[in-house]
Amino acid sequence: MSGSERALYEQVILDHNKNPRNFREIAEPDRELKGYNPLCGDQFTIYVKFDGDVIADVAFKGSGCAISKSSASVMTTELKGKTRAEALEIFNRFHHMITSAPDAPMDEDALGKLRVFSGVREFPVRIKCATLAWHAMAAALENKQGQISTES
Ligand code: ZN
């Protein structure tokens, strides 16, 4: 990653942390999942509304570090309008990128905006921050309810 790319990615993360998208509750959601990362203290609730197989609306509330909050925010913008299968594929892509070696090649086109979190690979302690909301979302897509923890 070049220095200018890194600076651009940091800008996107800071922007989503400061002005998180879809940062609200959804009334009568079809799924409501709490995600908790005890290592950092990140705690978010993910709300999902389906229209058949499509994610009609997805939103989140809670608090956490800049990485966890911006990751949840970007996630909501990427998954809205997607089918369950598409969303799980995006989750897998993101998870694979973020848990791969810092110098591993990425499919940049397939990842799109999710690339901004590729720098997290260099900071293993931050990986659970970046994936917290995604794990909660994946659990929601698998029709689970309740709470997930990164330590379980
Ligand atoms: Zn965190």
Side-chain angles (χ1 to χ4, degrees):
M1 200 188 312
S2 71
S4 59
E5 261 180 322
R6 190 183 299 270
L8 174 70
Y9 291 176
E10 279 171 11
Q11 273 312 111
V12 174
I13 289 169
L14 290 175
D15 173 51
H16 276 267
N17 178 49
K18 207 172 164 190
N19 303 301
R21 319 300 198 268
N22 302 302
F23 191 66
R24 56 184 160 81
E25 284 180 39
I26 292 176
E28 297 178 35
D30 293 311
R31 289 285 171 267
E32 181 175 338
L33 257 292
K34 284 187 169 60
Y36 177 48
N37 173 16
L39 280 181
C40 184
D42 311 315
Q43 202 156 13
F44 292 102
T45 303
I46 308 291
Y47 305 91
V48 190
K49 193 99 179 156
F50 290 104
D51 179 5
D53 195 40
V54 173
I55 298 167
D57 198 8
V58 51
F60 76 107
K61 288 281 276 188
S63 61
C65 66
I67 295 287
S68 64
K69 195 172 191 179
S70 58
S71 181
S73 174
V74 170
M75 179 189 80
T76 62
T77 65
E78 292 292 305
L79 297 190
K80 207 163 164 177
K82 300 288 195 297
T83 64
R84 285 170 192 257
E86 286 169 342
L88 281 172
E89 199 188 310
I90 294 168
F91 165 78
N92 287 332
R93 226 179 269 156
F94 179 74
H95 196 259
H96 181 259
M97 173 193 77
I98 217 144
T99 54
S100 62
D103 57 352
M106 303 185 271
D107 186 343
E108 302 203 347
D109 292 336
L111 286 162
K113 199 189 250 182
L114 302 177
R115 270 182 304 162
V116 301
F117 295 100
S118 58
V120 172
R121 299 188 295 187
E122 292 165 38
F123 307 96
V125 74
R126 288 292 184 193
I127 290 171
K128 286 178 174 173
C129 301
T131 55
L132 178 63
W134 288 85
H135 279 296
M137 184 67 195
L141 292 168
E142 287 160 9
N143 291 326
K144 291 176 185 152
Q145 290 275 31
Q147 176 159 334
I148 63 118
S149 168
T150 54
E151 296 306 291
S152 63

